[in-house]
Amino acid sequence: MGAVGAVRELALFLGTLLYAYAEAAVRLLLPARRKAVGGELVLLTGAGRGLGRATAREFARRQSRLVLWDVDTHGLRETAAECEKLGATVHTFVVDCSKREEIYSAAEKVKKDIGDVSILVNNAGVITAADLLSTQDHQIEKMFEVNILAHIWTTRAFLPTMMDNNRGHIVTVASAAGHFVTSFMVAYCSSKFAAVGFHKALTEELSTLGKDGIKTTCLCPVFINTGFVKNPST
């Protein structure tokens, strides 16, 4: 990339950053009415720690019923215990979101034994920070399996009922890396660009189909010190 291209990229990044801060300031001064989620059945992937655990606690405080998925049994139990202390009803499933059949199997159990999921939060994610040639094939595959394909499989599992009822909410947790690239994260950025694209395409498709009762949200965090990566500020 030449000097002109670098300046253009920097200007785009700064412009987007300033817009985000301005939007946040407006929302702080003129907050929108919060979505009522009491009694809703919320399924959250990647709930065993970090952002997933914090999100689960927030839903618990708002009296949602929770279905928590994670591959980490210990972390999942800790999150469930914290949410139960807040008064929430919690169901846990140990699910490896890199495996499509595990997702579909767990989804069937949820629908059969618990009920219809009305809010789906696709939060599970993995990252390997290394230059492209040093990143192993299986690490690249894992990032795409969890960071984007799992979003598609969970949505395919729970969207039909939402479509029938024209009611629901699908949340895609992507990343700022889905908008801006950085060195040593080629595969990760690619998977997060795909997640952002999935959200946009799904939103457009639901609109085209007239399913205005199904809402979509895409979250793109920057750096959050959750233990997901070491030294997130760097």
Side-chain angles (χ1 to χ4, degrees), residues 104-147:
Y104 283 161
S105 176
E108 286 303 313
K109 291 177 182 177
V110 170
K111 289 185 283 188
K112 178 181 178 181
D113 299 336
I114 303 172
D116 296 332
V117 170
S118 53
I119 300 177
L120 171 63
V121 184
N122 281 311
N123 169 73
V126 295
I127 182 173
T128 297
D131 66 88
L132 180 61
L133 297 182
S134 297
T135 309
Q136 301 299 307
D137 289 354
H138 70 89
Q139 293 172 323
I140 295 172
E141 290 173 346
K142 179 76 77 172
M143 279 185 272
F144 276 86
E145 287 165 350
V146 177
N147 296 352

Side-chain angles (χ1 to χ4, degrees), residues 198-221:
F198 167 73
H199 159 74
K200 291 181 178 179
L202 177 63
T203 302
E204 180 66 22
E205 183 164 286
L206 291 171
S207 176
T208 300
L209 294 172
K211 299 299 180 179
D212 56 352
I214 304 175
K215 308 304 180 183
T216 59
T217 301
C218 186
L219 305 179
C220 294

Side-chain angles (χ1 to χ4, degrees), residues 46-70:
R49 61 177 178 173
L51 183 60
R53 179 175 294 178
T55 303
R57 286 198 302 259
E58 190 62 29
F59 275 113
R61 291 188 185 98
R62 300 181 185 282
Q63 290 81 53
S64 300
R65 297 179 296 140
L66 299 177
V67 178
L68 306 180
W69 287 9
D70 203 286

Side-chain angles (χ1 to χ4, degrees), residues 7-19 176 179-180 222:
V7 171
R8 185 184 301 114
E9 285 289 324
L10 179 60
L12 177 61
F13 172 76
L14 292 176
T16 304
L17 188 64
L18 288 172
Y19 176 83
H179 293 281
F180 304 102
V222 186

